Amino acid sequence: MKNFRTLDDVNVKGKRVLLRVDLNVPTESGRVTDATRLERVEPTITELADKGGKVILLAHFGRPKGRDPKQSLKPVSEALSQVIKRPVAFADDCIGEPAQKAIAAMKDGDVLCLENTRFHQGEEKNDPAFVAELAKLGDIWVNDAFSAAHRAHASTEGLGHKLPAYAGRTMQAELDALNKALEAPNKPVIAIIGGAKVSTKIDLLENLVTKVDALVIGGGMANTFLHAQGVPVGKSLAEKHLAPTALRILEKAELANCAIILPVDAVVAGQFAANAPSHAYGLDAIPSDGMILDVGPQSTARIHAAIDDAATLVWNGPLGAFEMTPFDRGTVVAAKHAAERTRAKKLISVAGGGDTVAALNQAGVAGDFSYVSTAGGAFLEWMEGKPLPGVEVLKAP
Ligand code: AMP
């Protein structure tokens, strides 16, 4: 199902293409430390340039308050040039004379990166005057930045009302993968949701219980559910005031016929530290001075079986404090099993969110999942079932 316009719907030859990309890469002293996002934007840039478009990159970088040389996109554009193996020119501003001059000098197939859009307040305000300044620079707008699509900013949404709008190939791949995961999935669908707190994922849990057949709840947030069910959780991270919310979610799940899979045992340590001495306990025996830092072996076996029963998996959040050994075990074992089922073509697996990507990388299986989204906030809002402004604007009227 494709209800948005893509590069298949436009001839870009000779056109000035304003291409919104995600160049918000981690850097240290001006050096890019992880080029994953640059690799993700390569296919669209290459296709547009090879088809003779003038490729004009628009992106934000960091959270500058006004113009700030430390948050210039220039070093990133240089790193990008190496990744895409073609020259990338740079303009010192994303609107006005610097941008206009640089664009006037472009030949078909050239690539130009404009300076950080967030140097202008109009970007985040989606200010019509700023949108108009940007729109002057292009003939069409292509949005390839799913990770910024939950924001209605000038370069992520506003331009789509001023210029013919299309999804780039990376955006298209992301939307196709997400569609296969929740909108039109192979059933049964299982979701694994972990992470620290329930409070950040209430909307997400409420939406998922109406969409999936089984929901595994792990990580610190599972403690809040266990507490709500009367299980003493010792000194574990738990948002006890959210017990009524947890019970409401469980009730909603029951009404929607969604099986909830909570831990049945837990790995408990006396302190929140790597290699802290730990033991697995059943839920009736969690020590009052202990902290639950991972799901236990019986829970891991149940999650294993639940993954075996599923045709589609959606995953966000680690099952334990995965940054510290040995509390990464539950997450790593589940991730490896999902990867194995995916490789065996028994499972479509989609994962997303910053910590989740880090956890899958730690397990060495990110490449084996069907799709891993590098988007943080946008992935979560999609899981919450919210319309994303930067996607909505691409939909054919
Ligand atoms: P989130 O950003 O909500 O996905 O949360 C990820 C964080 O949750 C990671 O830093 C984990 O260390 C943390 N986490 C997961 N399980 C636990 C737990 N049982 N106790 C404390 N922190 C946890």
Side-chain angles (χ1 to χ4, degrees), residues 194-197 200-201 219-220 223 237 272 292-293 317-318 320-323 355:
K197 293 181 169 176
T200 56
K201 295 188 185 170
N223 303 337
L237 172 70
F272 192 83
I292 299 174
L293 293 183
F322 79 102
E323 300 95 333
D355 273 325

Side-chain angles (χ1 to χ4, degrees), residues 33-347:
T33 54
D34 180 351
T36 311
R37 285 184 162 164
L38 304 185
E39 287 155 16
R40 293 265 170 130
V41 298
E42 186 273 335
T44 304
I45 298 176
T46 301
E47 178 174 341
L48 289 170
D50 285 351
K51 286 180 170 171
K54 293 176 175 143
V55 188
I56 305 158
L57 305 177
L58 281 173
H60 77 273
F61 186 59
R63 296 178 176 212
K65 295 202 167 34
R67 187 168 272 276
D68 175 357
K70 283 208 257 352
Q71 312 219 40
S72 170
L73 272 173
K74 187 142 201 282
V76 181
S77 72
E78 286 159 9
L80 176 67
S81 168
Q82 299 195 343
V83 171
I84 66 173
K85 300 191 181 63
R86 48 179 93 213
V88 177
F90 188 77
D92 282 331
D93 202 346
C94 65
I95 53 169
E97 217 181 280
Q100 283 160 9
K101 272 196 175 155
I103 291 167
M106 289 176 88
K107 294 191 289 297
D108 292 357
D110 279 356
V111 182
L112 166 73
C113 179
L114 302 181
E115 184 56 287
N116 194 344
T117 51
R118 287 197 186 165
F119 282 3
H120 294 270
Q121 283 187 357
E123 164 70 340
E124 289 180 68
K125 292 193 175 137
N126 207 353
D127 172 16
F130 180 65
V131 175
E133 284 299 310
L134 287 175
K136 273 191 213 162
L137 305 173
D139 301 307
I140 66 168
W141 175 68
V142 176
N143 190 1
D144 215 20
F146 176 83
S147 55
H150 56 315
R151 314 231 188 258
H153 292 173
S155 69
T156 63
E157 197 268 351
L159 274 174
H161 298 288
K162 289 292 242 185
L163 294 175
Y166 305 89
R169 294 301 184 199
T170 302
M171 171 74 90
Q172 186 183 350
E174 184 109 26
L175 296 177
D176 284 347
L178 299 188
N179 191 52
K180 280 195 199 116
L182 277 190
E183 266 74 49
N186 287 348
K187 292 199 146 233
V189 185
I190 186 177
I192 298 182
I193 303 299
K197 293 181 169 176
V198 174
S199 50
T200 56
K201 295 188 185 170
I202 295 172
D203 291 350
L204 183 154
L205 292 167
E206 296 223 30
N207 182 45
L208 284 182
V209 295
T210 66
K211 293 216 163 136
V212 304
D213 301 289
L215 174 63
V216 173
I217 302 177
M221 69 161 65
N223 303 337
T224 301
F225 282 85
L226 295 177
H227 164 77
Q229 291 181 323
V231 175
V233 294
K235 288 198 300 179
S236 306
L237 172 70
E239 294 167 291
K240 294 188 175 163
H241 64 287
L242 288 181
T245 306
L247 293 176
R248 189 183 72 224
I249 291 168
L250 294 178
E251 217 168 280
K252 197 167 172 186
E254 195 171 342
L255 285 173
N257 253 330
C258 167
I260 296 284
I261 302 172
L262 275 163
V264 289
D265 60 349
V267 175
V268 178
Q271 51 176 323
F272 192 83
N275 301 314
S278 62
H279 291 283
Y281 292 94
L283 294 184
D284 53 353
I286 307 288
S288 59
D289 59 349
M291 248 181 255
I292 299 174
L293 293 183
D294 197 10
V295 292
Q298 288 178 44
S299 309
T300 305
R302 291 191 73 191
I303 296 168
H304 201 283
I307 292 173
D308 284 344
D309 287 342
T312 303
L313 163 71
V314 185
W315 188 337
N316 171 264
L319 295 173
F322 79 102
E323 300 95 333
M324 307 184 293
T325 48
F327 310 111
D328 57 342
R329 195 157 187 283
T331 306
V332 168
V333 169
K336 284 193 167 157
H337 188 56
E340 196 183 304
R341 296 285 296 173
T342 309
R343 277 197 306 270
K345 308 229 176 310
K346 298 274 190 327
L347 186 71

